[in-house]
Amino acid sequence: KIKMRLKQYLILMFLFSFAYGFSQPQDMYVVTFTDKNNSSHIVSKPETFLSSKAIEKRMRLNIPITEEDLPINENYIDFLKTFSAIKIVTQSKWMNYVVITCNNQLLLETLKYITFINKITQLHEIDYNNLDIQFTDRNYSFFNQLETFHDTTGLAYYGEAAKQIGIHNGHYLHQLGYKGDNMLIVMLDNGYNSLDTLEFFSDFFQSNRFLGTHDAANEENYNIYRDGTHGTMVLSTMALNRPYTYVGTAPHADYFLIRTEMSYYEDISEEYYWAAGAEFADSLGADVVNSSLGYTTFDIGEQNHTFSDLNGKRSVASIAASKLAQKGCIVSISAGNQGDKYWRYISVPADAPDALCVAAMNTDSIVASFSSIGHATFDYVKPDITSVGWNTAYCTIYDTLSKGNGTSFAAPIISGLSACLWQAFPKKSSLEIMEAIRQSSHLYNHSDSSYGYGIPDFRKAYRMLSENSTNEMTDNHIVIIYPNPTSDYIYIKTFQETPDFTFIISDINGRKLSEHRSYKQTFSLDVSNLANGIYFITVKQANNPSTVRKFIKN
């Protein structure tokens, strides 16, 4: 069918297939497709478009893989690429569109008659009714009258970060052994300037907790380490691991860094990059996504948001944030820094109902005047919670520790602790973990537009989830692998009395390399033939969810 369509539009292609030179700003358009028919991908073979970690998580949490997860029909994209006047900028499989640049209006008008193209609109004029989303009903009941208890024992270990983790009882999780091991945190930010050269991040690289980078804007010759200081500073609040100097909220987690924000202009296209970054994070199997970004006004005034847009359905970024949460990811987003400015309110995509919108306070629990607020007319409480974003300790791009202000720091503190909490309860869904965090907060029964539900207590959240769980065993106690890193053999130990396991080794791109079967509690694998790098072992067992472990071959 596609070939016939291409033949029918041969004359059209001839008329418009000539070179165009582009310069910023370019006219961008959203091309929405009617379907995903005849795609080379099928739902029954998710390994072609999702990583093994993502598939394992969907199976463990009983989250279906649907047609929405399928990549866009590549024939449709290839058809658009035949026109030299068109450049594909970004895309969304969840919402079945591509963003293009094209300065030829006649071509755009003609393309509207293509049978598999639903609509072509400018970015800020897209019909969001076509991108509708059903929000999750919060029917998780964890709340009880557990007394809030703050234990300051051991806080000196965290150095400059002590107060910002202590105020949430985050160190309680760490003392139980939950520091983010085997949890994947993905960041959506504006670049990670100097990250590869900073001594403070030496452990981050040496311990192989850094899994890679991706540029959602697809700029040619872009260097993610030489643009944007914001991402580096935000990352430091979670990832640093310098005992008695600075220890972040998830010092053992794995991290993947995505650039979605442009440093030199403010344009609504960044919301589309955000959506693309969210989908990429999902395909990696992200457990937590942190986004210290927000959008209200732009360089082009007609793109600006209005207050009525803050309903979770008026931006592709907000829609993507809720979809990401529903597909098994904790999403933590900064509320914004407009509280003392004309706008005042939270920003997009922090308005997504199924994401955590995080306001800023200082370590004395006083909310910051700059922290963006919610409103009584919202259908749900925003911001959701509050963390330290005022006088927050972080690492600069000059390899020094400093203190700064912004809800950008509050969100990652919550992201890191959320990863540690979920590590303790891997069978709980992302939505359940986020709701437990809300219900652990000090104003849960008396929320307001500044604090939201208030200051989360992760000791309390842990106890609430523990009481709610019946004999739930963490997958950390089901399977262990050692030594890690390794140069030749890796040993897999299970704690089942009658073991029957299948082990699948995959590379970092989710490509299956080998499969093995074992009926023993300890099983050895020869990995000496593998190239040096990061790999994953998926452990499948009858009547139990799959488990994924990372190992390093060196």
Side-chain angles (χ1 to χ4, degrees):
K1 292 182 180 179
I2 298 299
K3 288 183 178 178
M4 288 296 294
R5 287 169 180 157
L6 289 174
K7 199 170 184 179
Q8 291 171 357
Y9 299 114
L10 184 61
I11 297 177
L12 178 70
M13 291 164 56
F14 176 76
L15 288 173
F16 296 107
S17 59
F18 48 87
Y20 277 82
F22 296 106
S23 59
Q24 287 285 3
Q26 298 174 35
D27 292 328
M28 291 190 186
Y29 299 87
V30 182
V31 180
T32 307
F33 300 114
T34 57
D35 56 62
K36 291 184 177 179
N37 295 340
N38 303 310
S39 171
S40 63
H41 298 277
I42 56 176
V43 171
S44 60
K45 292 187 176 181
E47 63 274 10
T48 64
F49 53 90
L50 293 176
S51 71
S52 57
K53 180 174 173 59
I55 296 169
E56 179 276 327
K57 186 171 64 169
R58 295 286 188 100
M59 293 173 61
R60 169 164 47 92
L61 301 177
N62 197 27
I63 298 173
I65 298 172
T66 67
E67 183 180 290
E68 185 176 73
D69 298 301
L70 291 176
I72 297 171
N73 189 324
E74 57 270 29
N75 294 310
Y76 298 169
I77 296 177
D78 288 343
F79 174 74
L80 293 177
K81 287 180 177 178
T82 60
F83 301 98
S84 59
I86 291 176
K87 178 184 177 183
I88 307 294
V89 178
T90 190
Q91 59 185 268
S92 168
K93 62 182 181 181
W94 292 343
M95 292 170 267
N96 205 21
Y97 67 69
V98 296
V99 175
I100 65 171
T101 58
C102 182
N103 291 332
N104 191 307
Q105 290 297 317
L106 179 58
L107 172 58
L108 290 171
E109 289 300 317
T110 308
L111 286 174
K112 292 178 181 179
Y113 294 96
I114 303 297
T115 56
F116 53 79
I117 292 178
N118 182 34
K119 283 191 175 182
I120 300 178
T121 59
Q122 286 191 288
L123 270 64
H124 63 287
E125 295 177 344
I126 191 169
D127 181 2
Y128 292 91
N129 291 323
N130 292 331
L131 308 176
D132 198 16
I133 181 173
Q134 298 300 315
F135 298 137
T136 304
D137 291 328
R138 292 178 190 163
N139 55 0
Y140 309 111
S141 183
F142 300 118
F143 183 76
N144 54 38
Q145 298 302 316
L146 289 171
E147 182 180 355
T148 298
F149 174 77
H150 287 274
D151 182 2
T152 59
T153 304
L155 279 178
Y157 177 80
Y158 296 90
E160 291 296 315
K163 289 185 178 180
Q164 57 207 46
I165 192 170
I167 199 168
H168 293 298
N169 273 330
H171 56 303
Y172 176 80
L173 297 178
H174 291 183
Q175 290 166 357
L176 291 178
Y178 304 115
K179 298 183 178 182
D181 299 80
N182 296 305
M183 302 299 288
L184 175 57
I185 299 176
V186 175
M187 281 188 56
L188 308 183
D189 219 291
N190 75 335
Y192 306 89
N193 199 338
S194 303
L195 177 65
D196 55 336
T197 65
L198 300 179
E199 179 62 25
F200 265 104
F201 281 93
S202 58
D203 173 78
F204 177 68
F205 290 99
Q206 292 169 7
S207 60
N208 294 297
R209 294 186 291 117
F210 168 60
L211 299 190
T213 65
H214 173 68
D215 178 22
N218 297 313
E219 281 194 335
E220 293 183 8
N221 302 316
Y222 176 73
N223 189 337
I224 205 165
Y225 297 128
R226 298 296 174 263
D227 181 33
T229 63
H230 190 263
T232 302
M233 297 187 296
V234 170
L235 175 64
S236 69
T237 64
M238 297 181 285
L240 288 190
N241 192 17
R242 288 287 190 89
Y244 301 99
T245 301
Y246 193 115
V247 176
T249 52
H252 289 183
D254 296 328
Y255 292 86
F256 196 100
L257 312 179
I258 300 178
R259 179 253 198 157
T260 65
E261 171 79 359
M262 312 304 286
S263 299
Y264 306 111
Y265 62 84
E266 195 74 359
D267 188 88
I268 201 169
S269 60
E270 294 169 291
E271 295 180 21
Y272 290 81
Y273 300 144
W274 198 102
E279 292 185 8
F280 195 92
D282 171 69
S283 70
L284 292 172
D287 298 300
V288 178
V289 166
N290 182 84
S291 173
S292 293
L293 303 170
Y295 304 99
T296 55
T297 57
F298 303 97
D299 296 341
I300 301 174
E302 61 186 8
Q303 297 179 348
N304 291 350
H305 287 296
T306 64
F307 177 79
S308 62
D309 288 343
L310 299 178
N311 64 2
K313 293 185 177 184
R314 290 294 300 163
S315 164
V316 291
S318 300
I319 293 171
S322 283
K323 285 184 180 290
L324 182 61
Q326 293 170 13
K327 292 178 185 293
C329 185
I330 294 170
V331 184
S332 178
I333 306 174
S334 58
N337 303 323
Q338 301 292 316
D340 54 0
K341 298 181 175 63
Y342 176 77
W343 174 266
R344 296 191 64 202
Y345 303 107
I346 64 170
S347 54
V348 167
D351 62 328
D354 289 327
L356 291 174
C357 170
V358 188
M361 65 178 180
N362 64 13
T363 53
D364 292 327
S365 305
I366 299 173
V367 72
S369 61
F370 59 78
S371 186
S372 293
I373 63 174
H375 197 274
T377 60
F378 290 175
D379 293 333
Y380 40 84
V381 173
K382 289 291 174 182
D384 293 79
I385 52 178
T386 305
S387 185
V388 180
W390 179 11
N391 209 25
T392 311
Y394 69 94
C395 179
T396 74
I397 64 167
Y398 305 107
D399 220 7
T400 59
L401 296 180
S402 185
K403 291 190 176 181
N405 302 330
T407 57
S408 289
F409 294 127
I413 289 173
I414 295 298
S415 291
L417 293 178
S418 298
C420 299
L421 182 63
W422 203 5
Q423 179 193 353
F425 302 95
K427 294 181 182 178
K428 295 295 185 185
S429 71
S430 57
L431 298 171
E432 288 176 292
I433 297 296
M434 286 189 284
E435 187 59 21
I437 293 169
R438 294 185 186 99
Q439 292 187 27
S440 76
S441 300
H442 81 298
L443 295 177
Y444 182 69
N445 285 328
H446 309 283
S447 62
D448 63 29
S449 60
S450 295
Y451 284 94
Y453 291 116
I455 307 167
D457 181 342
F458 281 82
R459 176 181 180 272
K460 186 173 181 178
Y462 177 87
R463 295 180 64 191
M464 286 160 48
L465 288 164
S466 295
E467 292 185 4
N468 184 264
S469 304
T470 56
N471 299 320
E472 181 173 293
M473 187 179 188
T474 73
D475 70 348
N476 286 331
H477 298 145
I478 295 172
V479 178
I480 61 173
I481 62 174
Y482 61 93
N484 190 8
T486 184
S487 59
D488 43 27
Y489 283 89
I490 195 160
Y491 295 86
I492 304 168
K493 182 176 177 60
T494 69
F495 294 88
Q496 299 296 319
E497 292 183 1
T498 56
D500 180 3
F501 290 83
T502 299
F503 303 93
I504 299 173
I505 297 183
S506 307
D507 63 17
I508 196 171
N509 297 314
R511 196 172 38 177
K512 178 178 174 181
L513 302 179
S514 62
E515 183 172 328
H516 313 269
R517 186 83 175 266
S518 174
Y519 300 95
K520 300 177 181 179
Q521 286 190 316
T522 302
F523 177 65
S524 64
L525 287 175
D526 183 357
V527 296
S528 59
N529 62 324
L530 296 179
N532 292 348
I534 299 172
Y535 297 89
F536 293 94
I537 295 180
T538 301
V539 183
K540 296 184 177 180
Q541 50 187 321
N543 302 318
N544 280 297
S546 299
T547 299
V548 177
R549 289 286 177 268
K550 181 187 76 170
F551 74 93
I552 312 299
K553 169 62 171 42
N554 59 16

